[in-house]
Amino acid sequence: MGAFAVIHYHGLPITPATAAARAVEAGHAFVSYAHSDQLGVAVEMCQSFAIDNGAFSAWKSGRPVQDWRPFYEWAEQCRRVPSCDFAVVPDVIDGDENANDALLDEWPLGAMFGAPVWHMHESLDRLERLAATYLRVCIGSSGQYATVGNDVWWARIDQAMRAVCDPQGRPLVKLHGLRMLNPKVFTRLPFASADSTNIGRNVGIDKHWAKGHYLPPTKEMRAQVMRSRIEAFNSPATYEYLQD
């Protein structure tokens, strides 16, 4: 089987807001609770958007979230927007499986809307359990598998695909790749969707656009160029297992 249309979720915020609009207009956005100020851009401009719990940003800042009730309230408001696809269920980035399962038990918005995170350092048994319970499972790079795309990471992804795909490589559940909107990655995996903040991180770095004679002169045009390059690629419908 050939490629199918993976949903490319472009992470917000992107500054300025006019560049954000170009990056997601009639497309798809990934709005983090940690940077929720551009939610209005997603609501007004996108075909659809998904929301992230912001745990990774909070963890990187050294202030992991202790009380998720404000996020639950925000997620409930987002769920009422017709174009909101799903929410990433809160997770403990460096926690164990019991800590993350406890947050699943606490999640108040149901398995239809919530998508749990399977961290790649966790057991394959947990991945299989999540896939049997939820409509969509997010895959997050973590632990010794934190570097997306290296050999160790690909070996672990292969194990994960064997756990959640049938013998023909067809996924048994919708899979979302967290921070995996690199064509070198998502073109090899049967993802329903993936996200990254690539546009937001690079649209304003002038040295990345300093070569050549036909360069986009504005951040708005840069955002449009980056989006078109990413969205020129799709995911395969089936996974091709690595050789044993």
Side-chain angles (χ1 to χ4, degrees):
M1 299 177 67
F4 70 98
V6 62
I7 297 178
H8 309 80
Y9 288 106
H10 299 291
L12 298 178
I14 297 171
T15 54
T18 50
R22 283 291 185 91
V24 301
E25 183 178 7
H28 310 277
F30 208 60
V31 184
S32 172
Y33 180 59
H35 303 283
S36 60
D37 51 296
Q38 285 191 344
L39 175 62
V41 174
V43 172
E44 294 296 328
M45 304 298 295
C46 291
Q47 286 188 46
S48 73
F49 67 96
I51 58 173
D52 182 41
N53 57 54
F56 184 76
S57 297
W59 176 75
K60 284 194 70 175
S61 72
R63 299 186 298 273
V65 178
Q66 303 297 326
D67 181 5
W68 286 105
R69 286 174 295 181
F71 171 71
Y72 297 152
E73 294 171 3
W74 182 73
E76 170 58 24
Q77 294 303 311
C78 291
R79 182 171 66 163
R80 298 182 185 183
V81 180
S83 56
C84 186
D85 290 335
F86 68 91
V88 179
V89 176
D91 59 318
V92 183
I93 302 298
D94 56 354
D96 59 21
E97 295 187 12
N98 289 333
N100 281 302
D101 284 345
L103 285 174
L104 294 183
D105 292 337
E106 184 180 294
W107 173 247
L109 301 180
M112 297 287 288
F113 182 61
V117 179
W118 177 72
H119 305 88
M120 290 176 62
H121 71 276
E122 295 175 338
S123 70
L124 296 175
D125 287 343
R126 184 170 192 265
L127 174 58
E128 292 175 348
R129 176 161 47 86
L130 295 178
T133 306
Y134 292 84
L135 297 179
R136 184 187 309 260
V137 175
C138 302
I139 298 178
S141 305
S142 60
Q144 63 268 49
Y145 313 108
T147 302
V148 177
N150 67 17
D151 290 343
V152 173
W153 186 90
W154 276 112
R156 183 58 170 172
I157 277 289
D158 187 70
Q159 294 175 340
M161 293 300 104
R162 292 175 188 271
V164 293
C165 295
D166 67 14
Q168 288 73 46
R170 297 172 298 191
L172 306 175
V173 65
K174 289 185 177 181
L175 299 173
H176 176 89
L178 293 167
R179 298 187 297 119
M180 297 183 197
L181 204 54
N182 181 336
K184 293 180 180 179
V185 173
F186 73 78
T187 57
R188 294 175 57 182
L189 296 166
F191 284 159
S193 55
D195 74 87
S196 83
T197 56
N198 191 28
I199 296 178
R201 286 184 288 107
N202 291 287
V203 72
I205 302 178
D206 292 340
K207 66 180 181 180
H208 290 179
W209 303 85
K211 297 180 180 179
H213 298 290
Y214 302 100
L215 300 177
T218 67
K219 292 182 175 64
E220 291 79 9
M221 294 179 69
R222 291 176 184 179
Q224 201 165 19
V225 167
M226 292 185 70
R227 173 183 171 179
S228 66
R229 289 176 178 173
I230 294 170
E231 295 187 3
F233 300 93
N234 275 319
S235 288
T238 59
Y239 176 70
E240 185 175 339
Y241 296 109
L242 300 179
Q243 297 297 318
D244 294 325

